[in-house]
Amino acid sequence: MPARITGLVVAAAAGITGLALIGTPAFADTTSTPTPSPSAKAHAPRTLAEIQAAGAKATSDRETKLSAAIAKVTADKTLTSSDRSTILGTLNADLAAMKSSASAIAGDTTTTQAEADLKAVYSKYRVYAVALPQARLASDADRLTGTTLPKLTKEQSTLAGLLSGKEKAKSTAALQSDLSDLSAQIATASHDATGQASAALAVTPAAYDSNHSALSSVKSSLQSARAAAKKAEADAKAIRQALK
């Protein structure tokens, strides 16, 4: 066979071999068992001991937070007596419930009952989602309406008297503008904070379950009120400094 023909035959054979190798993965062995993805793996059910350990931690953590909140609310002088009573009623009831739940879970003898009791710790009482946040929000609202805003209102009245009286000579358009803004910010803060303590304390775990944003409007209103009060304080400070 001529050398040129021999070379072509060898090259063709090599080409066929190469194509066969490239195509091999398409015909890979499909009989082996594929490795399941993490999401496809079945989670082994928790043992009774594991559920009880989770229950002990969940209840203990909540007891710690509730006890700290109770001490803080008791010492908070800006809360109205009515709001303090309502908040403490909820916090103490939840604290008693956590202690009771801890005992129940520790004494459960089946995983089914233990799981049910543990689930109640999270979903029935809503310590983190309702009780603790509403206590903070009510305290913030009472502090604004009962302490911060009355002080700002008194300061606004004093400054207005000074600018129209013995300090009239120092009055400028800028100071009058600050005084006007001070009044406007106080009005905004008062509008946004009024009624928010009651709104926060009216939210129940059931209401939260129906609407997870049940406390959102209260948070938003109080944020606006705090911002307005802060601006009012800045206005008052600017006027005071100008009158020195």
Side-chain angles (χ1 to χ4, degrees):
M1 180 181 294
R4 184 171 182 277
I5 295 175
T6 301
L8 291 173
V9 171
V10 171
I16 292 171
T17 302
L19 289 173
L21 290 173
I22 293 173
T24 298
F27 301 96
D29 182 13
T30 60
T31 60
S32 60
T33 303
T35 301
S37 64
S39 61
K41 293 180 180 179
H43 293 288
R46 290 194 290 184
T47 64
L48 178 59
E50 289 172 335
I51 299 170
Q52 289 173 324
K57 184 178 188 318
T59 52
S60 177
D61 288 349
R62 286 162 175 75
E63 285 179 38
T64 298
K65 294 291 186 180
L66 287 166
S67 295
I70 289 170
K72 187 173 183 179
V73 168
T74 301
D76 190 346
K77 303 303 181 183
T78 63
L79 277 164
T80 66
S81 58
S82 176
D83 287 346
R84 179 183 293 105
S85 177
T86 299
I87 294 170
L88 289 177
T90 297
L91 297 180
N92 279 304
D94 281 357
L95 181 59
M98 291 304 103
K99 293 180 182 294
S100 176
S101 294
S103 296
I105 295 171
D108 285 332
T109 56
T110 66
T111 57
T112 299
Q113 187 58 52
E115 285 282 15
D117 288 340
L118 178 56
K119 182 179 179 181
V121 170
Y122 298 120
S123 62
K124 182 177 180 180
Y125 301 101
R126 298 296 187 188
V127 171
Y128 292 148
V130 178
L132 296 176
Q134 71 182 179
R136 289 193 296 269
L137 292 170
S139 294
D140 287 348
D142 281 356
R143 188 174 301 110
L144 279 166
T145 59
T147 302
T148 303
L149 291 176
K151 287 182 178 180
L152 284 171
T153 298
K154 182 178 180 180
E155 179 72 345
Q156 187 276 337
S157 179
T158 299
L159 292 174
L162 289 173
L163 288 174
S164 63
K166 67 178 184 177
E167 300 290 357
K168 187 175 182 179
K170 296 181 180 180
S171 180
T172 63
L175 288 183
Q176 288 297 330
S177 177
D178 286 340
L179 184 63
S180 177
D181 188 64
L182 170 57
S183 298
Q185 296 299 335
I186 291 173
T188 296
S190 179
H191 174 273
D192 291 344
T194 299
Q196 296 307 319
S198 296
L201 297 179
V203 176
T204 63
Y208 174 83
D209 288 341
S210 298
N211 176 19
H212 284 188
S213 299
L215 288 170
S216 294
S217 63
V218 176
K219 292 178 183 178
S220 179
S221 292
L222 290 179
Q223 286 174 350
S224 176
R226 283 192 294 269
K230 186 175 181 179
K231 182 60 172 63
E233 289 171 350
D235 288 335
K237 182 178 180 180
I239 297 171
R240 279 290 183 186
Q241 288 178 335
L243 295 180
K244 286 183 179 179

